[in-house]
Amino acid sequence: MLRWGRWSLVVASALVGAQCAMPISRLPQLPENEIDAERRIQQVAQMREYYGQLHRVDNVAFRIRTANIADCGEHVAAQIGLYATTPQSLPRRYRSYAREALGMTWSRPTVISVSDGSPAAQAGIVKGDEIISLNGELIAVTGTARWLRKWFARNGTKPVEAVIRRADEDQTVTVTPVMGCSIPINYVTAEEANAATDGEQIIIQSGMVELAKTDAQLASIIGHELAHANLGHIEKQQINTLIGFAGGVAIDGGFALGGISTGGAFRRELTKAGGRAYSVAFEREADYVGAYYIARAGYDLTGVEDLWRLMAMKNPSGIQLARTHPTSPVRFLQMRKVAAEIADKKARGEPLTPDLRFVQTEQPPSPSGELMR
């Protein structure tokens, strides 16, 4: 019976398919080799676009990290403003065309991005150089970016002798690392204009990078997420969630003592309410402190607030609704007022220190797995 049942389903599906409307045009034949060739062209172009945008993010991130180390507590590390990788370090789908797209080799890490004004740039390292060794130690060809990050964290700010290869000639350059906030800032491809942090990393989506018309606007997003981490917002949100959970459990228990089952309704609802408590205020505070971060990094705040008018076009509901985030008009006006506040402090020769009378967070929270956006 089961075997016949499966065949009857197949037959029925075929009969239904036979009645479906079909295209009537005579479509051109597309040989598989031509499709494969065009696919490769698009893959190469996409890879170049991705790493071009990654360079923009790295440029901004390096300035933000190094200008705000005092706010990152113990979460700082030495860095030189360089990103290098090998095909082996990339996702498998990128490896076959990594050389064509970016000139990578399999034997040595290739420099993909050098942040403007960074120690790597000052040492004369440029995109396309191959890095062979640091202080005589060969660089790993798998997990290269992570290996480099750990190596410089161990080395600190001591000068480094780096051997690079350019145009088939080896040369040695001296690089002196600088300290900066150590939280990684990762660029990912995603259409939505968004960014988030879980305390362990900051994620910037490609939709947000495209939305930010100026580097100062992009810096405001990175500064916002760094402020979330430094102000302990993730930890505070986690505590509020636990408070809501505990309150809900107590209420459910009280009803249970009276012989009434709530099915955990209060626990569920108060847990969600706890997680949303002060969410809008946390976001406004991250905008506020993040504005100081970008000013310290030397960015001009003029026009940064326009990002929120652009965001309103992408997300019209955010113009009026403020469930977890401030409305876009609020964020626009606040950024404009904070920019004026910062300009006034500069004119008076005062330090660029945000007013944190109600916030006493000495260092970033431990990772919690939650996301602040």
Side-chain angles (χ1 to χ4, degrees):
M1 289 294 293
L2 289 175
R3 184 178 302 171
W4 170 246
R6 286 198 298 270
W7 276 108
S8 64
L9 181 61
V10 171
V11 172
S13 298
L15 290 173
V16 170
Q19 303 301 316
C20 290
M22 298 175 62
I24 60 173
S25 301
R26 183 178 178 180
L27 302 176
Q29 294 297 312
L30 301 177
E32 282 300 320
N33 65 324
E34 293 183 12
I35 295 174
D36 290 341
E38 177 57 27
R39 180 180 293 114
R40 190 175 185 86
I41 289 172
Q42 294 183 19
Q43 287 171 329
V44 168
Q46 189 276 328
M47 192 173 191
R48 288 173 178 166
E49 169 68 14
Y50 172 85
Y51 281 103
Q53 294 297 340
L54 175 67
H55 171 67
R56 183 187 176 199
V57 172
D58 283 349
N59 250 348
V60 174
F62 181 80
R63 288 177 62 172
I64 295 293
R65 282 200 194 100
T66 54
N68 295 285
I69 55 174
D71 281 26
C72 291
E74 298 178 356
H75 296 256
V76 297
Q79 44 205 277
I80 64 170
L82 174 148
Y83 176 77
T85 191
T86 61
Q88 302 95 304
S89 298
L90 299 176
R92 189 173 299 275
R93 64 183 181 276
Y94 295 137
R95 295 176 186 175
S96 66
Y97 49 92
R99 183 176 183 84
E100 182 179 351
L102 299 171
M104 291 186 195
T105 66
W106 288 78
S107 55
R108 290 171 294 276
T110 301
V111 176
I112 304 301
S113 173
V114 179
S115 299
D116 297 341
S118 66
Q122 292 173 13
I125 299 175
V126 298
K127 176 183 175 182
D129 285 347
E130 296 177 354
I131 300 188
I132 300 173
S133 65
L134 299 173
N135 287 347
E137 186 175 352
L138 293 178
I139 298 172
V141 294
T142 58
T144 304
R146 183 170 58 253
W147 188 93
L148 287 169
R149 188 164 59 245
K150 290 181 177 180
W151 193 95
F152 283 108
R154 291 194 307 270
N155 180 79
T157 56
K158 296 185 293 244
V160 177
E161 298 296 313
V163 177
I164 64 172
R165 179 166 296 176
R166 182 184 302 165
D168 295 327
E169 291 187 5
D170 293 352
Q171 55 182 289
T172 301
V173 298
T174 300
V175 187
T176 303
V178 294
M179 297 299 290
C181 301
S182 58
I183 186 169
I185 299 173
N186 298 322
Y187 171 68
V188 300
T189 301
E191 291 185 6
E192 184 182 6
N194 204 358
T197 183
D198 61 1
E200 288 189 305
Q201 64 175 334
I202 291 172
I203 299 172
I204 307 293
Q205 296 184 177
S206 57
M208 181 62 78
V209 176
E210 293 171 3
L211 187 69
K213 302 306 180 186
T214 67
D215 284 351
Q217 290 178 352
L218 178 57
S220 73
I221 299 302
I222 295 175
H224 171 97
E225 300 302 337
L226 183 61
H228 271 316
N230 289 344
L231 292 168
H233 288 168
I234 301 161
E235 186 177 64
K236 291 175 182 178
Q237 186 183 56
Q238 194 175 42
I239 291 171
N240 292 342
T241 300
L242 290 174
I243 291 173
F245 171 83
V249 168
I251 295 173
D252 287 332
F255 276 101
L257 290 175
I260 301 173
S261 174
T262 63
F266 286 95
R267 171 181 55 79
R268 289 191 299 272
E269 293 305 315
L270 289 183
T271 297
K272 289 190 289 186
R276 291 194 297 266
Y278 298 107
S279 176
V280 172
F282 287 153
E283 295 297 332
R284 285 192 61 184
E285 185 174 58
D287 281 349
Y288 174 68
V289 174
Y292 276 84
Y293 285 180
I294 65 176
R296 291 174 187 169
Y299 287 103
D300 182 0
L301 273 67
T302 303
V304 169
E305 71 274 13
D306 289 338
L307 177 68
W308 299 111
R309 286 180 173 171
L310 296 171
M311 184 66 78
M313 302 303 102
K314 285 278 188 181
N315 181 25
S317 64
I319 298 174
Q320 293 187 347
L321 298 178
R323 292 188 62 189
T324 60
H325 287 62
T327 63
S328 49
V330 166
R331 301 184 86 165
F332 175 92
L333 292 172
Q334 174 172 301
M335 183 59 73
R336 177 172 282 182
K337 288 181 180 295
V338 177
E341 175 182 308
I342 290 172
D344 182 63
K345 287 184 178 181
K346 284 183 176 180
R348 294 171 180 270
E350 297 178 3
L352 297 184
T353 304
D355 186 355
L356 299 180
R357 288 174 297 179
F358 305 108
V359 179
Q360 297 296 329
T361 302
E362 296 181 355
Q363 64 180 27
S366 58
S368 67
E370 296 296 323
L371 290 177
M372 295 295 293
R373 300 184 184 277

